[in-house]
Amino acid sequence: MSNVAISVENISKRYSIGDTSSGSLQDAFRSLVGRRGAQKTEEFWALKDISFEVKQGEAIGIIGKNGAGKSTLLKVLSRITEPTTGRIEIDGRVSSLLEVGTGFHPELTGRENVFLNGTILGMSRDEIKAKFDEIVDFSGVEKFLDTPVKRYSSGMKVRLAFAVAAHLEPEILIIDEVLAVGDAEFQKKCLGKMQDVAGEGRTVLFVSHNMAAVSHLCKGGIFLNNGSVKIAGDINHVIDHYLQESISAADISLNSRKDRKGTQMLRFSSIEILDIEQRKLSSVMSGQNFTLKLKTESHRASFNDIRSIKVSVGINDSKDNRVSYLSNEITDQVFMNPGKFDSIDIAIPKLSLQPGTYSLTLFCKVNNEISDWIQNAFYFKVEPGDFYSTGKLPPDNQGAFYLDHTFSLSENVVFE
Ligand SMILES: Nc1ncnc2c1ncn2[C@@H]1O[C@H](COP(=O)(O)OP(=O)(O)OP(=O)(O)O)[C@@H](O)[C@H]1O
Ligand SMILES: [Mg+2]
């Protein structure tokens, strides 16, 4: 195993749907009377034949749609549930933060739970004591330390649980979506702490839907789809794949749109979003470089009749407010006597729109006459991305755009 922290070989996990019993007493009773109850059970494979290896000190992001099997995989790795088949080898003390409150005993106080968790991790009382203040400080629940955890809000529970998981010096830290629970400030703190842990050479497995956080923290990634590994490798490559598949609306035909205006000498036929390697994307990330490909067709005229093409694209947000406007008149790139072509490509470097859903209104003039005009021709999604290359983004509801900026201090020099 030398420097391998986690080795997973062909694991699968089967759940029975409709079988409400997981209690062994009921199961025992049913097998005694020789039946499984009136309810029909159905088998469902939440994980299918998963294999991968994580080296010591690697930070790996696990991404995928809701229900893909991410949490199930983490539960299996944390030994909270057994895989149905397959083998797992783990070399190192594991500390995991899965669902809110897992690992806490509700009747015990916050203080008692910290010691309980440390003991489970194999730490001595003195070792835990040495970390105690840091944990309390990080969690911000000092006032409630002697209150039973069952009286904590879910935010408080997750704060303490994260503080415990991250500070008790596990060799392997497994975190499921904790960033979705706390407030923005706490999320940033957690990310920073996970980075410290990874930087100290410990192994981190991190599940999140926040691509900015995942891409900043993790070097490697695993994209789970319907319980199987769809692709694994470099995190940015894996994220790209995930985004490509997350919306299937990329190549929408516009030919069915009857509510368009203009002579139709030249008309838009479909729109695609392409990454810098010309692969189709189903959504883009803030900060990403991409190309909007407006496919065109020209039935009514030969290309020789086209002397000039002016194109504009209006971008509206989900409340239909115009947020930006692109035009080849503004960029001084009106196409003159273009000859034959079948798409108009707009390169957009470092997308500054914040996450959300946007629509595009397309407009073009041929020889100074309106040729095609389609309102809200195309909808696309902007996902959180690492715009500032720090893995951090402003809190939600702080505007519509990101702006590059730098901070500095200066002093006014006074001459005597
Ligand atoms: N105890 C269970 N019994 C039956 N089915 C389950 C059980 N736990 C999970 N599943 C099913 O297994 C599949 C994978 O669930 P899982 O929670 O691992 O998904 P996930 O990738 O974590 O999703 P999300 O992004 O929503 O957190 C889902 O279809 C879920 O309904
Ligand atoms: Mg989950």
Side-chain angles (χ1 to χ4, degrees), residues 57-339:
E58 270 186 332
I60 301 292
I62 299 168
I63 59 177
K65 281 189 268 199
N66 297 125
K70 304 180 296 295
S71 298
T72 305
L73 177 60
L74 295 194
K75 279 183 202 156
V76 167
L77 291 175
S78 310
R79 311 252 185 230
I80 285 171
T81 178
E82 281 285 304
T84 311
T85 60
R87 228 162 62 106
I88 301 169
E89 273 184 63
I90 294 185
D91 188 10
R93 267 197 325 221
V94 177
S95 173
S96 53
L97 179 50
L98 303 181
E99 280 142 15
V100 177
T102 12
F104 280 155
H105 196 296
E107 302 294 337
L108 298 181
T109 66
R111 183 190 306 277
E112 289 162 342
N113 268 296
V114 172
F115 279 91
L116 179 66
N117 272 275
T119 311
I120 292 169
L121 270 177
M123 296 173 75
S124 72
R125 207 174 165 77
D126 284 344
E127 283 176 298
I128 303 169
K129 264 192 189 156
K131 290 279 164 195
F132 192 79
D133 289 347
E134 242 180 288
I135 292 172
V136 173
D137 192 44
F138 190 96
S139 69
V141 300
E142 191 172 0
K143 278 201 290 193
F144 304 93
L145 269 183
D146 296 306
T147 306
V149 160
K150 67 178 177 188
R151 307 235 181 280
Y152 282 25
S153 72
S154 52
M156 282 158 64
K157 264 187 244 172
V158 93
R159 277 166 169 270
L160 185 61
F162 182 87
V164 168
H167 286 85
L168 289 184
E169 305 208 324
E171 282 141 331
I172 300 169
L173 180 62
I174 296 182
I175 303 281
D176 190 355
E177 280 297 9
V178 66
L179 298 174
V181 180
D183 55 37
E185 195 194 341
F186 185 67
Q187 289 176 12
K188 277 188 203 163
K189 241 168 93 169
C190 291
L191 254 187
K193 182 65 198 170
M194 284 196 279
Q195 244 169 315
D196 293 348
V197 170
E200 287 159 11
R202 289 181 273 160
T203 310
V204 178
L205 284 192
F206 177 41
V207 165
S208 175
H209 288 105
N210 179 341
M211 295 303 136
V214 173
S215 87
H216 193 67
L217 182 73
C218 306
K219 283 222 169 55
I222 297 171
F223 169 16
L224 281 188
N225 191 34
N226 290 327
S228 304
V229 175
K230 181 95 185 187
I231 179 171
D234 171 73
I235 189 65
N236 290 317
H237 186 57
V238 171
I239 289 176
D240 270 1
H241 256 261
Y242 170 64
L243 291 181
Q244 274 177 54
E245 297 205 357
S246 55
I247 301 178
S248 52
D251 189 6
I252 292 176
S253 170
L254 293 175
N255 290 327
S256 54
R257 288 287 294 260
K258 302 286 178 250
D259 55 338
R260 57 211 292 166
K261 299 192 178 77
T263 63
Q264 308 291 297
M265 235 172 116
L266 180 74
R267 57 189 249 149
F268 301 107
S269 54
S270 66
I271 303 179
E272 287 172 6
I273 303 177
L274 304 178
D275 68 10
I276 47 175
E277 272 137 30
Q278 303 297 304
R279 287 175 307 197
K280 264 194 231 181
L281 297 176
S282 45
S283 57
V284 274
M285 282 187 290
S286 303
Q288 192 173 11
N289 303 330
F290 69 102
T291 298
L292 267 182
K293 193 173 200 57
L294 314 179
K295 292 200 170 171
T296 56
E297 50 192 31
S298 173
H299 295 309
R300 303 226 168 148
S302 86
F303 284 97
N304 292 335
D305 297 330
I306 300 179
R307 294 183 303 280
S308 72
I309 307 170
K310 293 175 180 168
V311 190
S312 71
V313 176
I315 304 178
N316 287 16
D317 67 13
S318 57
K319 297 186 186 106
D320 224 23
N321 299 312
R322 179 60 49 91
V323 292
S324 196
Y325 180 80
L326 319 173
S327 134
N328 68 342
E329 271 190 281
I330 296 169
T331 60
D332 273 338
Q333 292 171 311
V334 171
F335 301 111
M336 305 300 290
N337 303 310

